[in-house]
Amino acid sequence: MERLILIKYGELTTKKENRKMFIKMLVKNINNLISDYEYEIDYDRVRMYINCDNKYIDEIAKKLSKIFGIHSIVICHKVDNNIDNIKSKILEIVSHESFNTFKVETKRADKTFEIHSQEFNHVIGGLILKNFDCKVDVHNPDMLLHIEIRPEGTFIYTNELKGSGGYPVGIQGKGMLMLSGGIDSPVAGYLALKRGVDIDCLYFESPPHTSLEAKNKVIKLASIINEYSGNVKVHVVPFTEIQEAIYKNCPPNYMITIMRRMMYRIATKYAKMRGCEIIINGESVGQVASQTITSMSVINSVTNMPIIRPVACLDKLEIIKIAEKIGTYETSILPFEDCCTIFLPRHPVINPKLEKCIEAEKRFDYEALIDKCIANIEVIKKLENDNYDDLL
Ligand code: ATP
Ligand code: MG
């Protein structure tokens, strides 16, 4: 008799034609996530089983609850299809539960098993009533006992850990997330991962105007998002020279617009070099001057790469709620300055004109500066160790 983890797939069960690919990607992601443990994985088109040392079973189940493509995770007991063995296992399991009311739900996938589902519910219900002080409640039971009788054995469980849903990361190819130290962009990254996009992060820093703490904060945020992926890297762009050139050459009210046009140019070029097909960011319509739809349009016109803005139409409170749920909020609100705020003009333009941007950008050789920036990008790959707290 053994305890094992049973995984029920998430949304991928609805995508029949792509099912094989989805499951393969999920298996790959799980292998990546739990490679430090010894385990065996076994799967078919509707479910997956992970057999591991009982000592680690809860730990592994918890890790699995974070990754995408999983509807639910169940720690279940497996016995053979012998009725006496099933009964004695059920008595043992139920003796560890505290409940007043219960319901039994049997699924008989093995049609050679001689007792039908409904009848078996009664047999087991009677057994529990006889041995424990309790009542049946089919509508709102304290304990729901699942029995699944399948050709390979009988699976018994009482609880289900909710999975994160979504698609397995990687199923949608790669995207480059513009990750700042704010609240919005980590949430945007999480939502893109949930749709199956494998993300890399791009962070623009401007030392000495921005601090090492600001950079470490972004790395910490990336390491939190990485718990939902396992494959996140951070690419740090040295942005100081471009920002200083903008400061020197452009009208103050256009500085932010032009800075963001430069960010998009760099992101587009670098994303292509890294095999990314889209850019993701945390822009939210109307949030600040650079995020009015006129600003967005003028900024967006420097690229023809699709830009995905997962939080574009959420309000700040909705974004904060997700940030709290995914564990990025506490880090996001640490007070280190971002490059967007250091040269912030008093009156940034709300309705920028494209011609004015083009005119101002002619005053310095931004192409050369962009190439230099890209050539000096620092890549941070090891994010498994999420202990950056002492650096902040
Ligand atoms: P906040 O939560 O304070 O709004 P934010 O990260 O959304 O923080 P914004 O100034 O609103 O900051 O910037 C809009 C988007 O532009 C960000 O969500 C992020 O995707 C991108 N961005 C801003 N600054 C940087 C940066 N230094 N590096 C990378 N991306 C950035
Ligand atoms: Mg924002």
Side-chain angles (χ1 to χ4, degrees), residues 225-294:
I225 305 177
N226 193 36
E227 289 172 21
Y228 303 92
S229 159
N231 199 29
V232 171
K233 295 169 201 67
V234 182
H235 306 263
V236 183
V237 185
F239 200 48
T240 316
E241 272 189 67
I242 292 190
Q243 274 205 289
E244 288 176 351
I246 295 170
Y247 188 66
K248 240 192 268 162
N249 296 294
C250 304
N253 58 340
Y254 269 73
M255 276 176 0
I256 293 284
T257 314
I258 292 172
M259 182 190 81
R260 299 196 65 82
R261 282 165 60 87
M262 296 300 163
M263 282 182 167
Y264 269 39
R265 287 184 171 111
I266 293 168
T268 303
K269 208 163 179 179
Y270 191 61
K272 281 185 189 152
M273 287 165 64
R274 303 286 310 184
C276 298
E277 291 174 274
I278 56 166
I279 292 169
I280 301 140
N281 70 31
E283 289 173 343
S284 180
V285 176
Q287 197 181 76
V288 286
S290 61
Q291 289 165 35
T292 62
I293 55 173
T294 310

Side-chain angles (χ1 to χ4, degrees), residues 114-289:
E114 61 266 42
I115 306 177
H116 288 211
S117 300
Q118 198 49 29
E119 198 184 336
F120 203 60
N121 285 342
H122 288 124
V123 171
I124 299 301
L127 178 78
I128 294 174
L129 287 169
K130 200 171 125 201
N131 286 277
F132 301 92
D133 181 17
C134 58
K135 275 197 244 158
V136 172
D137 180 348
V138 291
H139 301 295
N140 192 20
D142 298 336
M143 176 187 74
L144 182 57
L145 178 71
H146 297 265
I147 306 166
E148 295 187 13
I149 304 161
R150 303 176 65 83
E152 66 271 29
T154 295
F155 299 85
I156 307 160
Y157 57 92
T158 53
N159 56 7
E160 228 175 48
L161 193 62
K162 210 168 161 321
S164 290
Y167 297 131
V169 169
I171 208 79
Q172 283 295 338
K174 279 182 73 174
M176 187 61 82
L177 169 70
M178 295 168 67
L179 181 65
S180 68
I183 297 165
D184 305 328
S185 48
V187 170
Y190 166 85
L191 292 173
L193 285 170
K194 186 166 188 179
R195 291 290 86 200
V197 183
D198 185 9
I199 60 168
D200 263 1
C201 304
L202 196 62
Y203 167 58
F204 296 83
E205 69 161 353
S206 292
H209 312 293
T210 57
S211 63
L212 186 60
E213 283 93 341
K215 176 179 171 183
N216 286 331
K217 175 184 168 184
V218 171
I219 297 171
K220 166 79 183 169
L221 285 170
S223 78
I224 298 171
I225 305 177
N226 193 36
E227 289 172 21
Y228 303 92
S229 159
N231 199 29
V232 171
K233 295 169 201 67
V234 182
H235 306 263
V236 183
V237 185
F239 200 48
T240 316
E241 272 189 67
I242 292 190
Q243 274 205 289
E244 288 176 351
I246 295 170
Y247 188 66
K248 240 192 268 162
N249 296 294
C250 304
N253 58 340
Y254 269 73
M255 276 176 0
I256 293 284
T257 314
I258 292 172
M259 182 190 81
R260 299 196 65 82
R261 282 165 60 87
M262 296 300 163
M263 282 182 167
Y264 269 39
R265 287 184 171 111
I266 293 168
T268 303
K269 208 163 179 179
Y270 191 61
K272 281 185 189 152
M273 287 165 64
R274 303 286 310 184
C276 298
E277 291 174 274
I278 56 166
I279 292 169
I280 301 140
N281 70 31
E283 289 173 343
S284 180
V285 176
Q287 197 181 76
V288 286

Side-chain angles (χ1 to χ4, degrees), residues 181 213 217 220 329-337 389 392:
E213 283 93 341
K217 175 184 168 184
K220 166 79 183 169
Y329 184 71
E330 289 300 316
T331 305
S332 287
I333 57 172
L334 293 172
F336 311 113
E337 283 218 284
D389 301 344
L392 296 176

